[in-house]
Amino acid sequence: MTLAPDNQESGVPLWAFVAGATALVAAAFASVWFMFPAPDTRHDLVSPSGTARIELGELCGGSGCDRVAILDVQGVRTGCPLALESRKPLFADVKAAWSEDESDVVVDYVAADGQTGSLTIARGDCTITE
């Protein structure tokens, strides 16, 4: 059988090519996944009715800590401002006390070094969309 120059058989079976390509793509995704650091702390605070959830997280580095609170109400996610100053993680342990109508939550926190504090997150203040 004669083949045209642009239609020559390769010595690599199709299954080996597919397996190699899959491994290469998986390695690329894994390297991107591990490129970003995990947060120092992360907590999910769910309202008693289960209709609202606030995710608290903080990532600390040499220049300080970035803290986020994200409100999730039935799939709509908005950010809540957090006015806390500290160069160390504060949310080692948190306890949430939701108001009766679940319009706000009081978060009591304990840092790893024993520092304690409290903050109130009002659902109406969670309007940051980016």
Side-chain angles (χ1 to χ4, degrees):
M1 169 180 191
T2 58
L3 297 174
D6 61 344
N7 194 15
Q8 293 184 8
E9 290 186 32
S10 75
V12 180
L14 180 61
W15 67 267
F17 175 77
V18 171
T22 303
L24 183 63
V25 169
F29 279 115
S31 66
V32 169
W33 177 267
F34 290 111
M35 182 172 66
F36 298 105
D40 291 304
T41 63
R42 185 179 183 286
H43 300 279
D44 287 331
L45 310 174
V46 180
S47 67
S49 69
T51 59
R53 182 172 63 100
I54 293 180
E55 297 174 25
L56 285 178
E58 53 190 347
L59 179 63
C60 298
S63 63
C65 295
D66 291 319
R67 292 180 180 80
V68 296
I70 299 171
L71 173 66
D72 186 338
V73 179
Q74 298 172 346
V76 177
R77 296 169 57 88
T78 54
C80 306
L82 295 178
L84 297 170
E85 294 294 328
S86 177
R87 296 176 87 55
K88 297 179 183 175
L90 295 176
F91 303 143
D93 185 34
V94 298
K95 290 189 177 38
W98 291 81
S99 64
E100 199 166 310
D101 64 355
E102 297 181 354
S103 62
D104 60 283
V105 60
V106 175
V107 177
D108 295 320
Y109 59 86
V110 179
D113 64 2
Q115 177 184 351
T116 62
S118 181
L119 71 118
T120 301
I121 300 173
R123 285 177 54 177
D125 292 341
C126 296
T127 58
I128 302 169
T129 56
E130 291 187 18

